[in-house]
Amino acid sequence: MNAEIISIGDELLIGQVINTNQAFIAEKLNSIGISVGRMTTVGDDESDILQSFAEALATHDLVLVTGGLGPTHDDITRTAVCKFFGTDLVVNEEALERVKGFFEKRGLLPKKINEDQALVPRSCTVIQNHHGTAPGFLFERHGHHLMAMPGVPFEMKAMMEGFVLPFFAHKASGLVIQHRTLKTTGIGESFLAEQIGDVSTLFGPDDGVTLAFLPGPTGTRLRITVRAKSAEDARKKSQLVEQRLRSKVGKYVYGIDEEELEQVVGKLLQERRLTLSVAESCTGGLIADRITNVSGSSNYFERSYVTYSNESKIADLGIPSALILHHGAVSGEVAEAMAACARMKSNTDIGLSTTGIAGPMGGSKEKSVGLVWIGYSDRGGTLALRFNFGDDRRRTKERAAQAALELLRRKLLKIEL
Amino acid sequence: MNAEIISIGDELLIGQVINTNQAFIAEKLNSIGISVGRMTTVGDDESDILQSFAEALATHDLVLVTGGLGPTHDDITRTAVCKFFGTDLVVNEEALERVKGFFEKRGLLPKKINEDQALVPRSCTVIQNHHGTAPGFLFERHGHHLMAMPGVPFEMKAMMEGFVLPFFAHKASGLVIQHRTLKTTGIGESFLAEQIGDVSTLFGPDDGVTLAFLPGPTGTRLRITVRAKSAEDARKKSQLVEQRLRSKVGKYVYGIDEEELEQVVGKLLQERRLTLSVAESCTGGLIADRITNVSGSSNYFERSYVTYSNESKIADLGIPSALILHHGAVSGEVAEAMAACARMKSNTDIGLSTTGIAGPMGGSKEKSVGLVWIGYSDRGGTLALRFNFGDDRRRTKERAAQAALELLRRKLLKIEL
């Protein structure tokens, strides 16, 4: 069973609103084995809406429509579905009671345009809206379905969970689709692809498995998609592919699905009862910000010295001014000293540091924009690694923070750097 | 001139990624007078891609395509455009040099699949990618254009700004559409609406002007949209509406369009030759991170003490332990002391501080989750303001950082708090 999602609304076409409904609906449909073949967005224009309905129903088993069911003049989905399915509007008593109750609860009287929300197409199945006044409409034609829902995200979500998913899960073919995403960092997309090699060694052409590379600024996600007869089958196939991937590039995999690197290292620090302090120059507080996004981080995170100026490196961390003078603030020597001093001054188990040239100014022939040194220090020793993260200031900060947290993860797990 | 936006990628159809590219592109096209008639999302499937190209080009003057230009096996847009326009791939020397340079700068050698990124359709105009390795392709057929761009947002955005917008702005005709957004903070959307009052006092029904309220977690944007015969006309209308808005809610307006609060305060500090240091507890480095996102911030930003633990507040800032014991770390007294100590220890003109309960744990009956004190200190005195930013951890950090920067802005401009 396949589906198309149609979003209706001028606010989408002028870019005023980012469409989050489509991703939500797509994910939910996938979870019940319905794959989405296309997503379309059209404006509040009747002929565009009718054309999109015709195209979608011709090629998809299920068409989910959101938006344009509200009470104002620019909401025309209701009249459009009537035209499309050759029907007219009648009052739905249950919907009318709901509209009245909705306003009564708020101490208000409904206006005519609100009561008109209870007008529904004669030939459809009406799906009541438990969070607003616009009901949903389900049509069937030649075994294909079109379902119109409100565009307000929480009203749509409630209708998806309460009606659409259970109803169509039952109808869907039976194939289960599962996704699992391995998040990698510290290796470029093409190098990752090379180390993974021919994907046909991971799964056969008829296994119902696909692997997608999703590169981002701080790492590449590897998404395994599995189609199988049962959830158990899908899980087993997915596990096997994950195992094979991990045997090739496991060292770069820091997390699964939505897991963030700061959560992963937070958990490791907590388990090992280790404490951390940070000394940040070019990342300017971003590492501390990420670490403290994790609830409970006060258990292992002590402090960060955002020592942007040389004076603060000297005064707050105790870096010898001669070291900065001799090697420059952006150097492996200073990165090491920052990590070691942060650790000792705060009396923590681990110190982490960054110093670099975020740009766009401040580069030189020897030290180009994007050069970053990352330092690490624990009782066993101190080291610094050299990187270049390119010429975009924010990007460099993000990549440097990611690389610092990844260095910490590898040290905690004793993975080679 | 009208346009269709086509996004390509399985990750969109399974709902893994929310499509932010479409809204970005739509808004930018609108700004140069090109209206978007439809947005379509298809997967990494050649026949779906070809069909979407055919439908889009048949009904729109301009088709903007994003995604599927990367180096891995699931990136098939390049071969699809070749098939569609009946051409083949040739090496583009400039793109090849860029690929090599891109890797060289990072101390790496490009692989075959990276070098293949320099293979471009023979019959198109190649648009170089200044932020990645995949160039863009511009095709023309019967006066209609198709432009394929990378799907990585910052690469796409650079190509939009650098090439697509200037090129097609020139081609577009008819009415000029201008947007201008006043960014406000420190006041809720409904209070803002109340202070603005009836919008018909701002512009008449036939003025071609609309005003949109766009609420966000750290403030509400007021977007003025003007349609006019000339850019000059549009500018005048927009100015008039802006003046009227500012006379009502000017004190809350910190910036225009994409301007960030950290840029605004950075400029003010620079102009006044003032220096700043920060002491952060609950914001965990976010204020410093935002300040250092601005190029040149080292001219006025000295350092931040991310003093997450009480020990660090005492040791690094010199807060008397009795003060913390007596009032608690989350108190106006400690916020004031943090701001004053940060200023004095770092020898800057201004000190700014935050201390609060980001949650979800750590709240009590007297001090609930979301409570944040923000401190400010300069030679003229020290003060602290009390806020509650709700029960979402990240949200509280963001709102606290925003409120701290806004406090700084108002003090610098001598606006009442």
Side-chain angles (χ1 to χ4, degrees), chain A residues 39 41 223 289 292 395 397, chain B residues 39 41 154 289 292 397:
Chain A
M39 299 165 166
T41 305
R223 193 190 58 229
D289 178 37
T292 60
R395 197 67 30 138
K397 287 178 69 176
Chain B
M39 299 165 165
T41 305
F154 85 103
D289 178 38
T292 60
K397 287 179 70 177

Side-chain angles (χ1 to χ4, degrees), chain A residues 12 16 39 41 55 181 190 194 223 284 288-289 292-293 302-304 306 309 316 393-395 397, chain B residues 12 16 39 41 111 114 154 214 223 284 288-289 292-293 302-304 306 309 316 393-394 397:
Chain A
L12 297 164
Q16 177 164 31
M39 299 165 166
T41 305
E55 287 178 12
T181 303
S190 54
E194 194 185 63
R223 193 190 58 229
D289 178 37
T292 60
N293 282 343
E302 242 292 322
R303 69 191 83 171
S304 177
V306 183
S309 64
D316 293 337
R393 184 178 179 86
R394 178 67 195 171
R395 197 67 30 138
K397 287 178 69 176
Chain B
L12 297 164
Q16 178 162 33
M39 299 165 165
T41 305
K111 315 258 161 224
N114 301 123
F154 85 103
L214 307 171
R223 198 192 53 229
D289 178 38
T292 60
N293 282 344
E302 241 291 321
R303 67 190 85 170
S304 176
V306 183
S309 64
D316 292 337
R393 184 178 180 86
R394 177 68 195 170
K397 287 179 70 177

Side-chain angles (χ1 to χ4, degrees), chain A residues 261-273:
Chain A
L261 189 45
E262 55 268 31
Q263 295 172 314
V264 174
V265 295
K267 204 161 155 252
L268 292 172
L269 288 167
Q270 182 114 18
E271 283 168 3
R272 286 159 176 68
R273 297 176 187 281

Side-chain angles (χ1 to χ4, degrees), chain B residues 154-174:
Chain B
F154 85 103
E155 296 180 22
M156 176 279 290
K157 287 178 184 176
M159 206 171 278
M160 282 290 294
E161 305 280 7
F163 172 75
V164 175
L165 293 172
F167 185 79
F168 287 102
H170 186 72
K171 289 198 177 289
S173 63

Side-chain angles (χ1 to χ4, degrees), chain A residues 36-288:
Chain A
V36 176
R38 189 163 65 169
M39 299 165 166
T40 303
T41 305
V42 294
D44 302 313
D45 177 281
E46 192 176 83
S47 78
D48 288 351
I49 295 174
L50 292 177
Q51 194 197 334
S52 72
F53 287 174
E55 287 178 12
L57 266 185
T59 46
H60 296 86
D61 306 309
L62 169 62
V63 178
L64 287 180
V65 180
T66 59
L69 294 182
T72 58
H73 68 282
D74 52 347
D75 292 305
I76 61 172
T77 302
R78 202 165 27 162
T79 52
V81 289
C82 281
K83 205 162 204 172
F84 187 78
F85 289 102
T87 187
D88 59 346
L89 292 169
V90 292
V91 174
N92 181 279
E93 288 302 331
E94 188 182 347
L96 186 59
E97 284 312 303
R98 279 185 183 277
V99 170
K100 287 179 176 165
F102 185 89
F103 281 87
E104 205 171 281
K105 238 164 75 183
R106 287 156 180 78
L108 302 166
L109 276 176
K111 314 225 171 272
K112 169 88 170 60
I113 59 166
N114 301 124
E115 290 192 358
D116 283 352
Q117 295 260 279
L119 288 171
V120 304
R122 192 187 296 272
S123 70
C124 76
T125 306
V126 176
I127 311 303
Q128 299 299 336
N129 182 342
H130 298 284
H131 295 275
T133 56
F137 313 131
L138 176 66
F139 292 90
E140 185 176 351
R141 180 190 272 179
H142 310 314
H144 292 219
H145 290 83
L146 183 144
M147 167 87 207
M149 297 184 285
V152 180
F154 85 102
E155 297 180 21
M156 176 279 290
K157 285 178 187 178
M159 206 171 277
M160 281 290 293
E161 305 279 7
F163 172 75
V164 176
L165 294 172
F167 184 80
F168 287 102
H170 185 73
K171 287 199 178 291
S173 67
L175 276 193
V176 173
I177 304 177
Q178 277 184 14
H179 304 287
R180 190 168 167 89
T181 303
L182 310 188
K183 295 177 90 172
T184 73
T185 192
I187 180 168
E189 183 190 11
S190 54
F191 292 85
L192 195 68
E194 194 185 63
Q195 292 208 15
I196 290 170
D198 186 354
V199 292
S200 72
T201 61
L202 300 171
F203 45 84
D206 305 322
D207 280 355
V209 181
T210 54
L211 176 69
F213 286 72
L214 306 170
T218 59
T220 298
R221 288 169 300 149
L222 295 170
R223 193 190 58 229
I224 306 164
T225 302
V226 179
R227 285 170 180 74
K229 290 230 173 79
S230 71
E232 180 55 22
D233 254 26
R235 207 180 48 75
K236 275 187 193 154
K237 275 192 200 176
S238 172
Q239 263 179 354
L240 188 66
V241 175
E242 179 175 342
Q243 258 171 31
R244 288 176 179 158
L245 277 172
R246 282 190 185 266
S247 74
K248 295 179 175 199
V249 293
K251 98 179 229 196
Y252 305 104
V253 177
Y254 66 82
I256 294 295
D257 294 336
E258 300 305 312
E259 223 170 0
E260 298 289 351
L261 189 45
E262 55 268 31
Q263 295 172 314
V264 174
V265 295
K267 204 161 155 252
L268 292 172
L269 288 167
Q270 182 114 18
E271 283 168 3
R272 286 159 176 68
R273 297 176 187 281
L274 295 171
T275 55
L276 173 71
S277 58
V278 183
E280 304 184 56
S281 188
C282 66
T283 49
L286 179 56
I287 296 176

Side-chain angles (χ1 to χ4, degrees), chain B residues 63-78:
Chain B
V63 179
L64 287 180
V65 179
T66 59
L69 293 182
T72 59
H73 70 281
D74 51 346
D75 292 304
I76 61 172
T77 301
R78 198 164 33 161

Side-chain angles (χ1 to χ4, degrees), chain B residues 83-101:
Chain B
K83 205 162 205 174
F84 187 79
F85 288 101
T87 186
D88 60 344
L89 293 168
V90 291
V91 174
N92 179 281
E93 288 302 332
E94 188 182 347
L96 187 59
E97 284 312 304
R98 279 185 184 278
V99 170
K100 286 180 176 163

